[in-house]
Amino acid sequence: MRLAGAESVLLDNAHTPWTVWGTAKSERFAGGGRMTVHAGGGNDKINTGNHDDYVHGGPGRDRATTWGGEDTCANIEVLASDDSCEFRE
């Protein structure tokens, strides 16, 4: 599935792995399945579920909230808690 022009996306099927590519705009991504997020530019907000996720914020001031699993984050400026992003790139 390809989705373009959305500012907020909720991917709530916990059994489906998702790969998300953002744009230069500020966006919000939330999902329950295993997520790979390349947020692109903008000040993005990213929430992941209880899986091993990969989150790349890109340019801008990005915020990540990750739950469960062993998550890897790159270019994330704000972590919602000390439990977010077990690995940093």
Side-chain angles (χ1 to χ4, degrees):
M1 171 179 71
R2 183 170 179 85
L3 177 66
E7 293 177 10
S8 181
V9 177
L10 171 61
L11 307 167
D12 65 353
N13 186 334
H15 302 290
T16 301
W18 299 97
T19 299
V20 179
W21 293 88
T23 67
K25 296 182 179 184
S26 296
E27 297 153 322
R28 180 176 299 189
F29 304 103
R34 187 175 68 240
M35 293 184 68
T36 300
V37 179
H38 303 277
N43 301 326
D44 303 302
K45 295 179 181 176
I46 304 153
N47 297 332
T48 67
N50 293 320
H51 297 276
D52 298 343
D53 304 302
Y54 177 80
V55 178
H56 189 284
R61 184 163 173 80
D62 305 302
R63 176 185 177 91
T65 304
T66 60
W67 305 97
E70 294 187 358
D71 306 305
T72 301
C73 296
N75 290 344
I76 298 295
E77 289 73 35
V78 180
L79 296 176
S81 74
D82 291 337
D83 294 336
S84 292
C85 299
E86 287 77 15
F87 304 101
R88 301 284 309 245
E89 292 184 347

